[in-house]
Amino acid sequence: MREEELRDLVRGDGWLMRALGVVRDTGLPDAWIGAGVVRDLVWGRRYGHGFDPSAVRDVDVVFLDPTDLTRANDDRATARLATAWPQPPWEAKNQAAVHTWYPATFGGDPVAPLRTIAEAVATWPEYATAVAVRLHADDRIAVCAPYGLDDLLDGVWRHNPTRAGREVSRRRLARHRPAARWPGVRVLDPAADDR
């Protein structure tokens, strides 16, 4: 039932529906839009002053291509999206390659290769952003939400400790300022990692 709530919000936004169509039509393997743009849409509509596509920092497009783990593959994917629709700030990342760059970029221990988009989404830094959507050929909206949709739909900013540590969470909290951007959102202390 909660998936249908999210689908209704996505269907009601022409900009995001167009973005989903572009991602589908570029043919990237197992490609989804997720994280911040989905949160911004839901929280802007439910807990803020509306959703403004011009304020979107990036449109995170995740795909799964185990045959090419190079950064050039990410760059080509991003370029394909920008060629199809130049306006959004696309950022495509091959989730099959995350293990090749994550520790060098963010520090910490090596990470295991990701085998599915659901595995990848489950590592994203907040439960509310551990959500992705995609458009099927028949225009049905698929939802990937390994932890469910309660935090996203109920306006709860909560740290996901799966990969991001508490310090990363605190920095993200300071940068995103969810309580200021979306006055109805509840922020839970990153130290409270039990769900």
Side-chain angles (χ1 to χ4, degrees):
M1 300 238 308
R2 302 237 67 188
E3 285 189 8
E4 202 53 40
E5 282 182 64
L6 178 58
R7 287 187 187 103
D8 287 345
L9 286 163
V10 171
R11 273 190 214 102
D13 187 81
W15 184 89
L16 186 53
M17 286 298 293
R18 180 177 178 189
L20 286 167
V22 167
V23 169
R24 176 192 61 199
D25 295 345
T26 59
L28 296 172
D30 201 7
W32 300 69
I33 292 177
V37 70
V38 175
R39 175 207 56 216
D40 290 0
L41 169 71
V42 173
W43 288 2
R45 291 272 169 84
R46 288 192 165 183
Y47 305 103
H49 305 291
F51 174 63
D52 178 5
S54 69
V56 171
R57 292 182 182 162
D58 54 36
V59 177
D60 291 307
V61 175
V62 293
F63 65 100
L64 200 70
D65 181 4
T67 67
D68 184 350
L69 304 182
T70 66
R71 281 284 174 137
N73 193 15
D74 291 349
D75 295 342
R76 285 190 302 273
T78 300
R80 282 169 67 180
L81 294 162
T83 297
W85 187 19
Q87 180 201 10
W90 301 106
E91 188 173 310
K93 293 280 185 228
N94 181 7
Q95 299 302 286
V98 168
H99 67 284
T100 68
W101 54 262
Y102 189 90
T105 302
F106 295 107
D109 297 327
V111 297
L114 298 166
R115 297 167 302 193
T116 67
I117 291 298
E119 279 184 7
V121 172
T123 68
W124 294 354
E126 293 88 35
Y127 292 117
T129 57
V131 175
V133 292
R134 76 171 170 185
L135 201 58
H136 289 293
D138 63 0
D139 290 338
R140 283 181 304 114
I141 297 169
V143 175
C144 177
Y147 302 107
L149 294 169
D150 289 347
D151 280 8
L152 174 64
L153 295 172
D154 296 338
V156 178
W157 178 288
R158 182 191 332 244
H159 172 226
N160 173 7
T162 302
R163 180 167 296 149
R166 289 180 180 153
E167 189 51 43
V168 168
S169 182
R170 286 185 187 101
R171 285 195 306 266
R172 287 180 54 79
L173 188 57
R175 184 173 78 239
H176 288 284
R177 303 173 0 276
R181 289 174 66 191
W182 306 287
V185 166
R186 286 184 305 133
V187 176
L188 299 184
D189 184 338
D193 283 342
D194 54 334
R195 188 176 157 103

